[in-house]
Amino acid sequence: MATEQTARRVTRRRVRTRANLLDAAFQVFAAKGFGRVSIEEVCEAAGYSRGAFYSNFDSLDELFFALYRQRADLIARQVADALAGDGPDLDVPASVDRVTEVLLLDLDWLLVKTDFLVHAARDPAVAQSLLEHRSRLRAAIADRLARARGHTPLPAVLGDADAAARAVVAAYDGVTTQLLLDKDVDGARAWLKQLLTALLTDGSDPRTHS
């Protein structure tokens, strides 16, 4: 029994250490940029030794990818949860409102994500992992669009639900790129809302009509 309790304590401590390293790395990467950060700086920000780092990660690249995966999965859950409230039908403007209200539009995250994208573009293995994450996000959106009943068909120019999901992700990418430059979070949310409504309908919001 004592051995089991000790093992559980060690596991909890390890989980906590890993989480603290990821949180500290996020702050350091956002402030300085990937490629300008050392393992020592991450350890110092987290209050741990290099030994604690290497007991959780083999390299700074591995930590960076774990950080990206953590945030990307959070965004995928936000989108899925926002779309899950519609039941069998899909009220596109209402769904767009929910998604854009909860969607993570954090400037520090966008800086880290952009660094990761550049890093992935130079490393085929990392690029493949990033493509897989983006594919899962698109699949969640496409599945919701494909299962929806009782809403107007998608604009013909988009083709099927998968193509529409690609357009949604592309719109998010474009709006967040602008956000990195002008730092206008409220403006980005409003523009993303308008853009997604226009993409997924004929551009009009039926709630504005009597």
Side-chain angles (χ1 to χ4, degrees):
M1 179 65 69
T3 301
E4 291 180 3
Q5 291 176 340
T6 300
R8 284 197 295 269
R9 283 198 298 269
V10 170
T11 299
R12 286 196 297 269
R13 185 167 64 247
R14 183 182 179 88
V15 169
R16 186 167 59 248
T17 298
R18 181 182 176 88
N20 289 341
L21 283 166
L22 286 170
D23 288 343
F26 177 77
Q27 299 302 324
V28 176
F29 286 144
K32 300 188 68 173
F34 185 74
R36 297 184 178 89
V37 173
S38 66
I39 290 174
E40 287 78 12
E41 287 173 303
V42 172
C43 292
E44 182 179 354
Y48 292 121
S49 66
R50 285 175 64 93
F53 178 94
Y54 283 115
S55 71
N56 287 276
F57 304 102
D58 291 334
S59 65
L60 210 54
D61 279 17
E62 184 184 341
L63 181 149
F64 193 43
F65 183 70
L67 179 62
Y68 178 85
R69 183 170 58 245
Q70 178 191 70
R71 299 289 169 138
D73 288 348
L74 169 62
I75 289 176
R77 287 196 303 272
Q78 288 175 330
V79 172
D81 290 347
L83 291 175
D86 284 311
D89 297 320
L90 182 65
D91 179 343
V92 169
S95 294
V96 167
D97 282 352
R98 281 198 300 276
V99 168
T100 52
E101 286 303 319
V102 304
L103 196 59
L104 184 66
L105 291 177
D106 177 75
L107 288 167
D108 284 345
W109 158 242
L110 294 176
L111 286 169
V112 173
K113 186 185 82 162
T114 301
D115 273 347
F116 190 81
L117 178 62
V118 172
H119 179 54
R122 294 188 171 95
D123 186 323
V126 178
Q128 184 58 42
S129 295
L130 179 55
L131 287 170
E132 290 170 1
H133 281 291
R134 289 172 66 86
S135 178
R136 284 199 292 274
L137 177 58
R138 288 198 310 270
I141 298 170
D143 178 67
R144 185 65 191 91
L145 291 172
R147 287 187 294 107
R149 299 195 305 268
H151 82 288
T152 54
L154 294 169
V157 69
L158 289 179
D160 58 14
D162 183 64
R166 288 178 179 273
V168 168
V169 174
Y172 172 75
D173 287 343
V175 169
T176 53
T177 297
Q178 180 67 25
L179 174 58
L180 273 174
L181 300 176
D182 63 23
K183 310 295 192 294
D184 182 1
V185 175
D186 290 339
R189 258 185 229 287
W191 176 231
L192 185 59
K193 191 176 297 185
Q194 293 171 6
L195 188 55
L196 293 182
T197 299
L199 274 172
L200 298 176
T201 66
D202 62 1
S204 65
D205 186 336
R207 293 169 301 181
T208 63
H209 302 292
S210 56

